[in-house]
Amino acid sequence: SLPLSALVETVAAVRATSARSAKLATLAELLTLPGIGETRAQAILAYRAEHGPFTRIEELQNVSGIGPATYEKLAPYVTVGP
């Protein structure tokens, strides 16, 4: 698993749960997250492109298609990294 900090600028170091950095994650990295398919991954990338890097993982809930249930599945695997 990879850091979501890229989803959101540099792939974060893998921690015990293999967190991904939302700041820098690529499409391929996002697709490895639970509950994230092509449509949601593209929505995350579009949101990041429009609003800039995520600064808090809770901001993922602002992305179309990511509600409380999906967020709860993602939270343990996501960081916003440095």
Side-chain angles (χ1 to χ4, degrees):
S1 326
L2 304 168
L4 220 182
S5 181
L7 154 59
V8 189
E9 313 278 329
T10 305
V11 174
V14 176
R15 66 180 191 193
T17 59
S18 299
R20 288 145 186 80
S21 170
K23 290 172 98 176
L24 303 171
T26 64
L27 177 64
E29 292 169 338
L30 292 173
L31 291 171
T32 67
L33 294 169
I36 300 297
E38 181 83 22
T39 301
R40 285 185 179 147
Q42 290 290 355
I44 291 168
L45 295 174
Y47 184 91
R48 188 176 64 198
E50 182 176 342
H51 300 283
F54 291 89
T55 58
R56 300 177 314 119
I57 63 169
E58 294 83 4
E59 292 174 23
L60 286 169
Q61 295 177 92
N62 297 332
V63 176
S64 177
I66 300 182
T70 301
Y71 173 76
E72 289 301 318
K73 285 189 234 174
L74 289 174
Y77 301 98
V78 179
T79 67
V80 290

